Amino acid sequence: MTQQSLRTFGAVCGYSAAVLNAIGFVWYFLVIGETQTNPVTWLLWLVETGVSLWLYRSHTGDRAKWAAEAVSLIGVIGISFHLFVLQPMQGNGGTVWQTVEPIDYLVAILAIVALVYYWRSQKQGKTASRRALWIFQAALLTAILPLWRTVLDDPTSEPFWPWMIWTLAFVLQTFCAWLRWEDRTTLLNPINYAITHGVVALIVIL
């Protein structure tokens, strides 16, 4: 295959990842009343996903690569709104409020540090976004910890298929970043997302 063909196939992978992400969120919304999810995680992800999209889009400038993360942000906003506004108003108890620990606050702090670093270093161009994305990986990894605690306590608290679909979506995003190669930094977010989502799916199914 020619280089252009590989890039085209990479774009197909990227936009397919966005579609799969949307399917995963629609599926999650359909079963959210049956879940015992942890709102703390979704609140952390609301901050983390917004920062992630900002940094990743700034670094790549390639819509095919960041389309899946844009869909994720929309979905996380919707789920957070449901958990923090609609569900309490309806009196539903399908949430598990894990104790907020210092590491949970660390997630938001790390995400903000990465964003502030990027803002203050924008004159450095790609170098600034590259370093900010590396810093951000710590926030991305720790953001999943409250939900991991929840599903380890009760694997039935989360539905399997949305998490499996999201994992496949980020695997496709990884292929997109690889086939439309720019630098290794563009692989960080999708690989990290694929692993963290995949672990949830694995815990649930086992």
Side-chain angles (χ1 to χ4, degrees), residues 32-57:
I32 197 169
E34 305 169 12
T35 66
Q36 293 287 324
T37 193
N38 184 0
V40 172
T41 288
W42 290 101
L43 182 61
L44 293 174
W45 277 356
L46 183 58
V47 175
E48 172 259 318
T49 307
V51 175
S52 176
L53 176 60
W54 182 286
L55 294 177
Y56 199 69
R57 182 178 180 274

Short mmCIF file of all heavy atoms in Angstrom, two decimals, residues 32-57:
data_model
loop_
_atom_site.label_atom_id
_atom_site.label_comp_id
_atom_site.label_asym_id
_atom_site.label_seq_id
_atom_site.Cartn_x
_atom_site.Cartn_y
_atom_site.Cartn_z
N ILE A 32 -28.32 2.92 31.67
CA ILE A 32 -27.75 3.63 32.81
C ILE A 32 -28.58 3.46 34.07
O ILE A 32 -28.07 3.48 35.18
CB ILE A 32 -27.56 5.14 32.48
CG1 ILE A 32 -26.61 5.77 33.50
CG2 ILE A 32 -28.90 5.86 32.43
CD1 ILE A 32 -26.15 7.16 33.11
N GLY A 33 -29.88 3.24 33.91
CA GLY A 33 -30.73 3.02 35.08
C GLY A 33 -30.44 1.71 35.78
O GLY A 33 -30.80 1.51 36.95
N GLU A 34 -29.76 0.78 35.07
CA GLU A 34 -29.44 -0.52 35.65
C GLU A 34 -28.03 -0.55 36.24
O GLU A 34 -27.62 -1.56 36.82
CB GLU A 34 -29.55 -1.61 34.57
CG GLU A 34 -30.91 -1.64 33.86
CD GLU A 34 -30.89 -2.54 32.63
OE1 GLU A 34 -29.90 -3.28 32.47
OE2 GLU A 34 -31.85 -2.48 31.84
N THR A 35 -27.28 0.53 36.07
CA THR A 35 -25.89 0.54 36.53
C THR A 35 -25.80 1.04 37.97
O THR A 35 -26.73 1.65 38.50
CB THR A 35 -25.02 1.45 35.65
OG1 THR A 35 -25.44 2.81 35.81
CG2 THR A 35 -25.13 1.05 34.18
N GLN A 36 -24.69 0.75 38.59
CA GLN A 36 -24.35 1.31 39.90
C GLN A 36 -23.03 2.04 39.75
O GLN A 36 -22.03 1.73 40.38
CB GLN A 36 -24.25 0.19 40.95
CG GLN A 36 -25.56 -0.50 41.26
CD GLN A 36 -26.47 0.40 42.10
OE1 GLN A 36 -26.00 1.15 42.96
NE2 GLN A 36 -27.76 0.35 41.85
N THR A 37 -23.02 3.00 38.86
CA THR A 37 -21.77 3.65 38.48
C THR A 37 -21.31 4.65 39.52
O THR A 37 -22.08 5.03 40.42
CB THR A 37 -21.92 4.34 37.10
OG1 THR A 37 -20.62 4.69 36.61
CG2 THR A 37 -22.78 5.59 37.19
N ASN A 38 -20.07 5.06 39.40
CA ASN A 38 -19.48 6.00 40.37
C ASN A 38 -19.45 7.41 39.77
O ASN A 38 -18.65 7.68 38.88
CB ASN A 38 -18.07 5.53 40.72
CG ASN A 38 -17.43 6.40 41.79
OD1 ASN A 38 -18.02 7.35 42.27
ND2 ASN A 38 -16.21 6.07 42.16
N PRO A 39 -20.29 8.32 40.22
CA PRO A 39 -20.32 9.68 39.67
C PRO A 39 -19.00 10.42 39.81
O PRO A 39 -18.69 11.30 39.00
CB PRO A 39 -21.41 10.38 40.49
CG PRO A 39 -22.26 9.27 41.00
CD PRO A 39 -21.31 8.13 41.26
N VAL A 40 -18.21 10.09 40.85
CA VAL A 40 -16.93 10.76 41.05
C VAL A 40 -16.05 10.58 39.80
O VAL A 40 -15.41 11.52 39.33
CB VAL A 40 -16.20 10.23 42.30
CG1 VAL A 40 -14.79 10.79 42.39
CG2 VAL A 40 -16.99 10.57 43.55
N THR A 41 -16.04 9.37 39.27
CA THR A 41 -15.24 9.10 38.09
C THR A 41 -15.71 9.93 36.91
O THR A 41 -14.90 10.51 36.17
CB THR A 41 -15.32 7.60 37.72
OG1 THR A 41 -14.57 6.86 38.67
CG2 THR A 41 -14.69 7.36 36.35
N TRP A 42 -17.01 10.00 36.71
CA TRP A 42 -17.52 10.76 35.56
C TRP A 42 -17.25 12.24 35.70
O TRP A 42 -17.01 12.94 34.71
CB TRP A 42 -19.02 10.49 35.38
CG TRP A 42 -19.28 9.09 34.92
CD1 TRP A 42 -19.68 8.04 35.67
CD2 TRP A 42 -19.08 8.59 33.58
NE1 TRP A 42 -19.76 6.90 34.89
CE2 TRP A 42 -19.41 7.21 33.62
CE3 TRP A 42 -18.67 9.15 32.39
CZ2 TRP A 42 -19.34 6.40 32.48
CZ3 TRP A 42 -18.60 8.36 31.25
CH2 TRP A 42 -18.93 7.00 31.31
N LEU A 43 -17.27 12.75 36.94
CA LEU A 43 -16.93 14.16 37.15
C LEU A 43 -15.46 14.40 36.83
O LEU A 43 -15.09 15.38 36.18
CB LEU A 43 -17.23 14.57 38.59
CG LEU A 43 -16.98 16.04 38.93
CD1 LEU A 43 -17.84 16.95 38.08
CD2 LEU A 43 -17.24 16.29 40.41
N LEU A 44 -14.60 13.48 37.28
CA LEU A 44 -13.18 13.59 36.97
C LEU A 44 -12.96 13.50 35.46
O LEU A 44 -12.15 14.23 34.89
CB LEU A 44 -12.40 12.49 37.67
CG LEU A 44 -12.33 12.55 39.20
CD1 LEU A 44 -11.64 11.31 39.74
CD2 LEU A 44 -11.60 13.80 39.65
N TRP A 45 -13.69 12.60 34.82
CA TRP A 45 -13.54 12.44 33.38
C TRP A 45 -14.03 13.65 32.60
O TRP A 45 -13.58 13.92 31.51
CB TRP A 45 -14.27 11.18 32.92
CG TRP A 45 -13.46 9.94 33.11
CD1 TRP A 45 -12.17 9.86 33.57
CD2 TRP A 45 -13.87 8.60 32.84
NE1 TRP A 45 -11.76 8.55 33.61
CE2 TRP A 45 -12.78 7.75 33.18
CE3 TRP A 45 -15.05 8.02 32.38
CZ2 TRP A 45 -12.84 6.37 33.04
CZ3 TRP A 45 -15.10 6.65 32.25
CH2 TRP A 45 -14.02 5.83 32.56
N LEU A 46 -15.00 14.36 33.17
CA LEU A 46 -15.49 15.57 32.50
C LEU A 46 -14.35 16.58 32.38
O LEU A 46 -14.16 17.19 31.32
CB LEU A 46 -16.65 16.16 33.29
CG LEU A 46 -17.34 17.39 32.70
CD1 LEU A 46 -17.88 17.09 31.31
CD2 LEU A 46 -18.45 17.87 33.61
N VAL A 47 -13.59 16.74 33.46
CA VAL A 47 -12.42 17.63 33.43
C VAL A 47 -11.34 17.05 32.53
O VAL A 47 -10.81 17.73 31.63
CB VAL A 47 -11.85 17.84 34.86
CG1 VAL A 47 -10.57 18.67 34.82
CG2 VAL A 47 -12.89 18.50 35.75
N GLU A 48 -11.04 15.78 32.75
CA GLU A 48 -9.95 15.12 32.03
C GLU A 48 -10.19 15.04 30.52
O GLU A 48 -9.29 15.29 29.72
CB GLU A 48 -9.74 13.72 32.63
CG GLU A 48 -8.79 12.84 31.88
CD GLU A 48 -9.55 11.85 31.02
OE1 GLU A 48 -10.54 11.28 31.46
OE2 GLU A 48 -9.13 11.68 29.86
N THR A 49 -11.45 14.71 30.13
CA THR A 49 -11.74 14.57 28.71
C THR A 49 -11.66 15.90 27.98
O THR A 49 -11.19 15.97 26.83
CB THR A 49 -13.13 13.94 28.50
OG1 THR A 49 -13.23 12.73 29.25
CG2 THR A 49 -13.38 13.61 27.03
N GLY A 50 -12.12 16.97 28.64
CA GLY A 50 -12.03 18.29 28.02
C GLY A 50 -10.59 18.72 27.81
O GLY A 50 -10.23 19.22 26.73
N VAL A 51 -9.75 18.52 28.83
CA VAL A 51 -8.34 18.87 28.71
C VAL A 51 -7.67 17.99 27.66
O VAL A 51 -6.87 18.46 26.84
CB VAL A 51 -7.61 18.72 30.06
CG1 VAL A 51 -6.11 18.96 29.90
CG2 VAL A 51 -8.19 19.71 31.08
N SER A 52 -8.02 16.70 27.67
CA SER A 52 -7.44 15.75 26.71
C SER A 52 -7.71 16.18 25.28
O SER A 52 -6.79 16.20 24.45
CB SER A 52 -8.02 14.36 26.96
OG SER A 52 -7.56 13.44 25.99
N LEU A 53 -8.96 16.51 25.00
CA LEU A 53 -9.31 16.91 23.64
C LEU A 53 -8.57 18.19 23.25
O LEU A 53 -8.06 18.30 22.12
CB LEU A 53 -10.82 17.12 23.53
CG LEU A 53 -11.34 17.63 22.19
CD1 LEU A 53 -10.98 16.67 21.05
CD2 LEU A 53 -12.85 17.86 22.24
N TRP A 54 -8.52 19.15 24.16
CA TRP A 54 -7.85 20.43 23.87
C TRP A 54 -6.38 20.19 23.51
O TRP A 54 -5.89 20.69 22.48
CB TRP A 54 -7.94 21.33 25.10
CG TRP A 54 -7.32 22.69 24.88
CD1 TRP A 54 -5.99 22.99 24.84
CD2 TRP A 54 -8.00 23.93 24.66
NE1 TRP A 54 -5.79 24.33 24.62
CE2 TRP A 54 -7.02 24.93 24.50
CE3 TRP A 54 -9.34 24.30 24.61
CZ2 TRP A 54 -7.33 26.26 24.30
CZ3 TRP A 54 -9.66 25.63 24.40
CH2 TRP A 54 -8.67 26.59 24.24
N LEU A 55 -5.68 19.41 24.35
CA LEU A 55 -4.25 19.18 24.12
C LEU A 55 -4.01 18.34 22.87
O LEU A 55 -3.13 18.64 22.07
CB LEU A 55 -3.62 18.49 25.33
CG LEU A 55 -3.59 19.30 26.63
CD1 LEU A 55 -3.01 18.45 27.76
CD2 LEU A 55 -2.76 20.58 26.46
N TYR A 56 -4.80 17.28 22.71
CA TYR A 56 -4.59 16.36 21.59
C TYR A 56 -4.90 17.04 20.26
O TYR A 56 -4.15 16.89 19.29
CB TYR A 56 -5.46 15.12 21.77
CG TYR A 56 -5.02 13.93 20.95
CD1 TYR A 56 -3.85 13.26 21.24
CD2 TYR A 56 -5.79 13.48 19.88
CE1 TYR A 56 -3.45 12.16 20.50
CE2 TYR A 56 -5.41 12.39 19.13
CZ TYR A 56 -4.23 11.73 19.45
OH TYR A 56 -3.83 10.65 18.70
N ARG A 57 -5.97 17.81 20.24
CA ARG A 57 -6.32 18.54 19.01
C ARG A 57 -5.27 19.59 18.69
O ARG A 57 -4.89 19.77 17.53
CB ARG A 57 -7.70 19.20 19.17
CG ARG A 57 -8.19 19.95 17.93
CD ARG A 57 -9.58 20.52 18.18
NE ARG A 57 -10.07 21.23 17.02
CZ ARG A 57 -9.82 22.49 16.74
NH1 ARG A 57 -9.05 23.21 17.57
NH2 ARG A 57 -10.31 23.08 15.66
#
